[in-house]
């Protein structure tokens, strides 16, 4: 069985970014017509996939630091917040982006998770749902080197996730799975740390030993 990994996985995803998906909401169907994506993960036009600020000068960094003060204060009661912030700044640096408000949100989220849940023990996987630019997945991979991570998303977003995660955690080999057989193969391979699943293939997650599932700040366009 051939498992799509690394560059081959990205090429397979990019080949499908224009294909229709049953998992898209009407909001996504409307908004994605305004954005184009290149093979290296660059977006052009109005994007609902999130944004990456590359303005990293001293003035921009100072402005972000000042404006983020209330959120750092929120993290003071969380045991692992300093370590989570260090990891998220590492992700920002490796992805070539500013440490912006959305990354502070991910930092706080990870600190809360680590306060209340075990995300490091072997034997199960960490699942991240709808992760914009792969920030939370990158953080969890860095926090949990002994566990595999699974990222599930719409095709365009998953392509971005895997592209940016590979920058933040370059030693984490990733695979794209499309069937229960692929999933079993990826779970068995010790060299595969990250498994990508397209939203339309979400039922195959049932065959994975998921110990933690995380969704941060997504699917807000859907009603209850």
């Amino acid at each position: 069985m051939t498992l799509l990994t690394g560059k081959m996985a990205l090429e397979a995803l990019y080949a499908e970014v224009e294909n229709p998906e049953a998992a898209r909401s009407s909001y996504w169907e409307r908004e994605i017509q305004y954005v184009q994506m290149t093979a290296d993960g660059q977006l052009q036009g109005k994007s609902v996939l999130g944004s990456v600020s590359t303005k990293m000068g001293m003035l921009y960094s100072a402005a972000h630091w000042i404006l983020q003060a209330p959120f750092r204060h929120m993290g003071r009661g969380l045991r692992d917040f300093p370590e989570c912030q260090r990891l998220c700044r590492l992700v920002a640096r490796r992805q070539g982006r500013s440490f912006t408000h959305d990354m502070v949100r991910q930092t706080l989220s990870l600190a809360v998770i680590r306060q209340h849940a075990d995300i490091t023990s072997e034997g199960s996987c960490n699942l991240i749902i709808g992760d914009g630019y792969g920030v939370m997945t990158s953080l969890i991979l860095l926090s949990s080197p002994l566990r595999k991570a699974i990222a599930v998303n719409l095709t365009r977003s998953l392509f971005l996730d895997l592209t940016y995660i590979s920058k933040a955690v370059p030693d984490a080999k990733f695979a794209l799975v499309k069937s229960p057989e692929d999933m079993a193969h990826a779970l068995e391979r010790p060299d595969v740390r990250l498994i990508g699943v397209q939203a339309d293939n979400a039922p195959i997650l049932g065959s994975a030993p998921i110990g933690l599932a995380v969704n941060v700040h997504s699917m807000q366009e859907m009603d209850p």
Side-chain angles (χ1 to χ4, degrees):
M1 178 185 296
T2 300
L3 193 64
L4 294 174
T5 62
K7 184 179 179 181
M8 289 191 300
L10 290 177
E11 289 174 347
L13 276 175
Y14 187 71
E16 297 182 26
V17 296
E18 300 297 338
N19 292 354
E21 294 175 275
R24 287 183 198 157
S25 66
S26 57
Y27 171 81
W28 277 85
E29 289 287 4
R30 183 182 72 246
E31 293 296 323
I32 61 171
Q33 63 184 309
Y34 302 117
V35 60
Q36 293 79 44
M37 177 183 291
T38 62
D40 60 352
Q42 299 299 311
L43 299 180
Q44 300 170 349
K46 175 186 174 184
S47 173
V48 294
L49 303 178
S51 61
V52 171
S53 174
T54 56
K55 297 177 180 178
M56 301 172 64
M58 290 182 61
L59 289 177
Y60 287 105
S61 297
H64 284 306
W65 175 262
I66 293 169
L67 294 171
Q68 291 165 12
F71 303 101
R72 290 196 302 275
H73 182 75
M74 290 170 60
R76 289 178 62 184
L78 298 170
R79 178 190 63 239
D80 294 334
F81 180 71
E83 170 65 6
C84 293
Q85 185 171 229
R86 183 189 70 80
L87 290 177
C88 203
R89 287 189 177 278
L90 175 64
V91 170
R93 187 164 64 250
R94 288 180 175 177
Q95 290 186 346
R97 61 188 296 182
S98 297
F99 186 74
T100 51
H101 168 263
D102 61 325
M103 300 196 79
V104 178
R105 181 183 70 244
Q106 304 279 31
T107 301
L108 286 166
S109 299
L110 179 64
V112 170
I113 290 167
R114 286 176 48 159
Q115 189 107 334
H116 297 283
D118 174 21
I119 66 171
T120 61
S121 59
E122 296 183 76
S124 59
C125 302
N126 295 319
L127 170 67
I128 302 88
I129 304 165
D131 188 16
Y133 287 91
V135 174
M136 179 57 74
T137 307
S138 298
L139 288 173
I140 286 182
L141 283 169
L142 292 170
S143 294
S144 309
L146 299 180
R147 270 195 192 184
K148 292 182 186 290
I150 302 173
V152 58
N153 217 331
L154 296 171
T155 298
R156 288 176 182 236
S157 298
L158 185 61
F159 177 81
L160 280 180
D161 288 344
L162 297 181
T163 298
Y164 277 82
I165 293 166
S166 66
K167 296 178 182 180
V169 196
D171 60 339
K173 187 169 186 176
F174 59 87
L176 176 67
V177 304
K178 291 177 172 287
S179 67
E181 293 75 22
D182 284 348
M183 178 66 79
H185 190 193
L187 290 170
E188 290 171 357
R189 284 184 51 166
D191 61 325
V192 173
R193 288 196 58 208
L194 173 63
I195 299 170
V197 179
Q198 290 158 281
D200 280 358
N201 296 327
I204 68 177
L205 295 172
S207 61
I210 296 168
L212 172 77
V214 180
N215 175 264
V216 180
H217 201 64
S218 69
M219 298 188 287
Q220 294 187 61
E221 76 279 4
M222 298 183 183
D223 60 30

